[in-house]
Amino acid sequence: MAVFSVKRSTLRKLLCVTVLSVASPLVASPPLPTPMALSSLESGEWRISVLPKGMTDVCLGNPHQLMHSAIPSGQCDALVVDNKPDMATMEYRCGEAGWARTTIHVDNGHSARIDSQGVAGRMPFAFKADVRRIGNCPS
């Protein structure tokens, strides 16, 4: 499997799309399933470090946002394919917008690892990230 590197500017764009798509109200969109592993994660400011390089901080009102890769969730049907207390995998089918498969391994309520791959905007992507809660969101 080929792994694509993600530039910091691209990472910020992916995260902005992800955070804004989940944070904005969704009209007539079914609620996304919530995996067990996400219940132990806390909301707040999270540092996302994409391996091997690239880091950004984001304010997450809902840690469920960590499961979304590069495709706005309002356009997707989601399915939980693996649901354990410390690990979850979700698949997203988003019509012409693309698809994604994301796995999150939760170490504790403040730390997790993400592995995501798919196609967004007709372009393949794949990344691994370490995520860590660094505090409350700035006011």
Side-chain angles (χ1 to χ4, degrees):
M1 177 181 95
V3 175
F4 300 91
S5 64
V6 179
K7 294 180 183 177
R8 186 177 182 150
S9 62
T10 303
L11 171 65
R12 283 192 185 277
K13 289 176 188 173
L14 292 174
L15 291 172
C16 286
V17 167
T18 299
V19 172
L20 292 175
S21 68
V22 177
S24 63
L26 304 175
V27 178
S29 294
L32 293 173
T34 301
M36 287 186 291
L38 298 180
S39 65
S40 66
L41 297 177
E42 297 179 26
S43 61
E45 188 168 9
W46 286 76
R47 176 157 294 148
I48 301 174
S49 302
V50 175
L51 307 175
K53 59 182 178 180
M55 180 175 58
T56 191
D57 296 346
V58 295
C59 180
L60 300 177
N62 179 349
H64 192 284
Q65 296 162 310
L66 293 172
M67 291 297 289
H68 303 286
S69 313
I71 305 169
S73 62
Q75 303 172 8
C76 305
D77 292 320
L79 174 67
V80 178
V81 295
D82 197 358
N83 195 11
K84 297 176 184 159
D86 62 344
M87 187 202 68
T89 299
M90 291 183 74
E91 290 184 353
Y92 298 88
R93 301 281 176 219
C94 309
E96 291 185 23
W99 62 270
R101 181 180 177 103
T102 302
T103 299
I104 189 165
H105 297 269
V106 176
D107 301 320
N108 56 54
H110 296 102
S111 176
R113 292 166 283 128
I114 299 171
D115 185 356
S116 188
Q117 61 185 2
V119 173
R122 301 180 200 247
M123 296 295 297
F125 70 89
F127 68 88
K128 293 183 182 205
D130 287 328
V131 296
R132 182 172 52 95
R133 187 178 186 279
I134 57 174
N136 296 326
C137 293
S139 300

